[in-house]
Structure formats: structure tokens, C-alpha cells
Amino acid sequence: MNMTEKQLSQIRAQIKRVKDFGNPFYTKRFKDVNPEDIKTQQDFENLVPFVTKQELRDAYPLGLATVPEEEIVRIHSSSGTTGAPVVIPYTKKDVEDWAIMFARCYELAGITSKDRIHITPGYGLWTAGIGFQAGCERLGAMAVPLGPGNTEKQLQMMQDLKTTVLCATSSYALLLAEEIEKRGLKDKICLKKGIIGSERWGEKMRNRIKDILGIELYDIYGLTECYGPGIGINCKGEDSINIFDDYVYTEILDPQTGKPVPEGEIGEITLTTLVKEGAPLFRFRTHDLAAFVPGTSKGYSYPRITQILGRSDDMVKVKGNIIFPSTIEDVIQAVPGTSSEYRAVIEHADGKDKMTLFVEVEGGTDRTEAALSVAYTFKQKYNMTPEVKVVGIGELPRSEKKTKRIEDRRFD
């Protein structure tokens, strides 16, 4: 994506500001960088260093703050499941900017102040729930802030309050859809749209949720380190995600070399915030994989990326083959009778790696034939044959948050 003169100017101003503030984290990073030397996109790519999640973790608890403490109105945090959490401070303007972007997401999805928005993502330190709510209130719609869990209450409120928009992870959207189908509630709910985020989801899962609920689905994008969900979304009838380039500059880079990939080629999303005050980001390596999509959506000028295709850190290598969740989704998409849900378990036994793939199939499907078809298709597409075990719809566990679909037990 070509950088504009305005974006260059904003980045120069951000670097100067954080150096002048004297924050040790950024002072060290930019000690050899003179912001006035960044005159072109090439200068930016050559002079501004990348930042990784581990480096953000190392700044725990408030080492990323670039404003006086009295200007920090809120913090959010990543989960910290693999180490110290990343704590992100927000100023009043950061919170407002995030709400503006989130309201814009709703508008791009055709949601108006007349809608009633059913919010199931978590509240608290996690950025999701409060982001969905702030955008809803900015838009002027009615927020129904349930948070995750308590499926009985979720279904009751959907019926009683006639909510029209469901906000959820794809895993919880599927769980709710299956419960609605199981209980025969489809005619008693008023959902028209779903705003889905937080995890990658394949075409089978997307179609299953859409078919059960009869709603339009939208992919919302974002992450805790960069405001939260709401920095981009797709438009009606389009798969590609609009990224709000008045707040965020996006690069898509080769994960190995760190160099830009050609338009249309898959790479790692790398983000720089343009106006964020509390904890600006400079070339943050997200690990999310996507590609730039040529052109813009009708009526908008935002750059576009594909749906998130996976994460570079979700990759596992089995018998010399690189496996992503999208690899497995590609296989089950090609086999009739399979559902969206699967689990892959990778183990090392008797001196060799082994992958067992559990796949759900619809009722009436010949299970032996389905298992053989999945194994054969896997071999044809990826030159590897997993052991395939077929189960019925709903037999694999469902999640109210994110679902871990590949479990690597080789290093336990």
C-alpha cells in the first residue's frame, strides 16, 4: 500500500512526540532515528524498526505510556496466556477515536440507530465487549451488553428484546445458532446481521451460521495492541476488509524477510497507528496473514485486505508439511457431508509424527466414505495422510470464546 504525504507527516510527528516525552521504550527504539529523515515510504521502511509482541510484553505494566499518567483514562490488556500480558493505556481521544471507527464499522454493515445490538464478547480488560458497545452508542443504536456465556439468558433476551444484530466470536455464534436450531427458535428471533471477530473462521462455518440463522455476516478486524476490534470491516456483498487508513497504516510483509509482498500475495499484517496517543504502535508484527485486494469498495477509498487467512504462529510442521487451520478447512470444504467443525491432534509416537483429524459430518452421511474422502483429499492436496475419525454434528466441544482447533502434543 502506498503511503500518503499525510501519513508520513503523522508518523514523523508521532516519533518526535514519543522521543520528546522521554519514554524509555521508545527512546531506545528511536535513538538513531531522526524523524525529519523520514521523507518517503522507503525511508520509513528502512529507518523505522519493527516491534514484536514480546517487546510489548517486556514493557509491562505501563512502560508503553507516552502521555502523563493523569491523561490515561483506561487500560486494556491482552490475555497474557504465554507470558506477561501487554497493557495498553488509552487517552480520552484514543477512546473516542476507537468509538468513531467502530461506529463506522456498523455503518459499513448497514446497521443504523434503529437496530438493537446483542453483544456477547467479553468485557473487562479484553477490548472486545466495550468496543462493540462504545461503537453502538456512538451510532445511536440500542446496546444489549450481555457478554459471554449463560446461553439460556442470551436466547431469552434475543427473543424478548428482539435484537437485530449479533456480535460474537465465530465459535460462540455457531454455538448460539445450533442452540436456536435445536430448540426451534428461529421464528422467534429477529436477527438480521452478525458482526463476527476475534478468530479466523472458514467458509463451511460461515455458511453454517448464515444458513441456520438466515442473516448477513460481516468480518470485523482489530487487536488489543491497536485499539481493539473495529479498525476494519467488509462491506455488504464483499469479502475483503476495509482498513481505516486515517487511523492505521497497514503493511503486508514477507514473514521471513520483513519485505513488502506484491499486491495479492499473502503476507503478515504489520500495523502503525497514526494518531494514537496513549501507546502508539510502530510497525507492529501482528502474525495475522492476509493479502492486499486491488481497488476499493464502492463509495469508499479505504485500502482493502482479504479475510484473515491464518496466523504465522498457528503454523505447525508435520512430516515436513506446513499445516495451517486454513489447510484443514480447505480439505473439508472439498468433501461433501462434512460440517465446519474439526480438531487436529498432533503427537509423536514410535519415532514419528502422527496427526489425528476429528471431523464432524451431517446426519445421513456415510462415515466410512467421508473419512476415506478426507484422508484421500488431504493426501492429494498436501501430500500427507492423517488418521481421520468421523463424529456427528455437535460431538466436538463448542466454545463461548475462541476455539483451539489444532493441538500439538509433541512438546508436552
Side-chain angles (χ1 to χ4, degrees):
M1 186 176 82
N2 292 327
M3 184 179 281
T4 66
E5 283 301 320
K6 183 176 182 181
Q7 289 171 330
L8 271 168
S9 174
Q10 289 171 319
I11 289 166
R12 283 194 294 268
Q14 284 279 51
I15 294 174
K16 182 177 187 306
R17 182 178 72 82
V18 300
K19 288 186 75 169
D20 290 348
F21 182 73
N23 170 296
F25 177 84
Y26 295 101
T27 300
K28 182 179 179 182
R29 299 192 67 72
F30 292 123
K31 63 182 171 62
D32 298 323
V33 178
N34 177 357
E36 296 310 312
D37 291 338
I38 304 172
K39 295 180 171 65
T40 66
Q41 180 172 335
Q42 192 67 47
D43 293 337
F44 169 78
E45 292 169 359
N46 290 338
L47 296 174
V48 178
F50 296 119
V51 64
T52 65
K53 188 154 186 171
Q54 186 55 52
E55 288 173 307
L56 299 184
R57 285 193 186 108
D58 291 344
Y60 179 87
L62 287 174
L64 298 175
T66 57
V67 294
E69 188 172 327
E70 58 267 27
E71 293 182 24
I72 297 172
V73 300
R74 186 196 298 170
I75 61 153
H76 281 294
S77 172
S78 64
S79 61
T81 52
T82 55
V86 177
V87 173
I88 303 293
Y90 292 66
T91 66
K92 183 173 184 288
K93 182 180 182 298
D94 292 337
V95 170
E96 289 171 353
D97 286 348
W98 183 21
I100 289 168
M101 283 188 281
F102 221 120
R104 190 185 290 175
C105 285
Y106 287 135
E107 288 168 346
L108 262 66
I111 295 164
T112 74
S113 59
K114 295 181 180 179
D115 280 293
R116 301 179 179 191
I117 300 180
H118 191 104
I119 301 168
T120 70
Y123 283 75
L125 285 174
W126 197 31
T127 52
I130 200 167
F132 280 96
Q133 180 170 334
C136 174
E137 292 169 353
R138 177 93 189 186
L139 181 68
M142 181 195 294
V144 183
L146 281 98
N150 198 343
T151 298
E152 291 289 338
K153 188 164 189 174
Q154 302 273 3
L155 298 176
Q156 192 63 51
M157 296 291 268
M158 268 185 204
Q159 295 171 74
D160 295 347
L161 285 170
K162 303 187 184 324
T163 47
T164 56
V165 179
L166 172 64
C167 301
T169 64
S170 56
S171 294
Y172 197 42
L174 177 65
L175 187 154
L176 288 169
E178 289 180 335
E179 285 298 316
I180 286 165
E181 183 178 50
K182 190 190 303 179
R183 301 174 191 216
L185 298 176
K186 188 172 176 186
D187 292 339
K188 296 181 180 179
I189 63 167
C190 301
L191 293 177
K192 297 175 184 174
K193 300 175 191 285
I195 309 294
I196 309 298
S198 183
E199 60 182 339
R200 179 197 146 66
W201 50 326
E203 203 58 32
K204 282 250 179 181
M205 189 177 199
R206 187 184 311 273
N207 289 336
R208 182 158 170 72
I209 296 167
K210 191 191 302 182
D211 292 345
I212 293 175
L213 297 178
I215 61 176
E216 295 173 7
L217 293 177
Y218 293 84
D219 274 298
I220 198 164
Y221 181 60
L223 52 159
T224 299
E225 296 81 3
C226 185
Y227 293 100
I231 65 171
I233 197 170
N234 62 304
C235 292
K236 181 176 180 177
E238 295 186 2
D239 292 334
S240 52
I241 295 172
N242 300 276
I243 299 292
F244 302 141
D245 60 339
D246 47 345
Y247 291 94
V248 179
Y249 175 69
T250 306
E251 301 172 85
I252 294 188
L253 308 176
D254 182 304
Q256 270 70 52
T257 67
K259 300 295 183 185
V261 300
E263 189 176 76
E265 190 172 304
I266 297 169
E268 181 180 7
I269 298 173
T270 302
L271 300 175
T272 298
T273 58
L274 300 173
V275 295
K276 199 162 190 284
E277 294 180 338
L281 279 184
F282 299 91
R283 307 196 81 195
F284 175 61
R285 304 286 295 261
T286 68
H287 293 298
D288 291 332
L289 300 174
F292 278 124
V293 175
T296 57
S297 295
K298 186 176 179 181
Y300 301 100
S301 61
Y302 307 120
R304 300 185 300 171
I305 62 172
T306 61
Q307 296 165 352
I308 305 306
L309 303 171
R311 287 180 55 82
S312 56
D313 53 358
D314 274 347
M315 181 192 83
V316 292
K317 191 174 274 191
V318 184
K319 297 181 179 178
N321 297 282
I322 292 173
I323 306 293
F324 286 102
S326 56
T327 306
I328 300 169
E329 289 159 9
D330 182 43
V331 170
I332 63 176
Q333 175 75 14
V335 177
T338 57
S339 179
S340 62
E341 294 307 282
Y342 64 88
R343 296 293 182 277
V345 177
I346 303 161
E347 299 168 294
H348 188 81
D350 302 322
K352 59 184 180 182
D353 290 341
K354 170 190 172 185
M355 184 168 90
T356 304
L357 182 58
F358 297 86
V359 179
E360 288 188 352
V361 298
E362 298 161 359
T365 302
D366 185 307
R367 295 192 174 197
T368 302
E369 185 177 325
L372 290 172
S373 293
V374 170
Y376 175 79
T377 305
F378 219 112
K379 174 69 173 175
Q380 293 298 107
K381 284 177 173 278
Y382 299 104
N383 196 33
M384 192 190 88
T385 307
E387 180 181 348
V388 180
K389 296 188 177 180
V390 170
V391 298
I393 297 279
E395 290 187 37
L396 292 175
R398 299 298 193 252
S399 173
E400 295 174 352
K401 296 181 181 178
K402 299 182 187 181
T403 299
K404 187 170 179 62
R405 291 185 166 84
I406 298 180
E407 185 181 351
D408 193 343
R409 298 178 180 172
R410 289 175 294 185
F411 310 107
D412 289 353

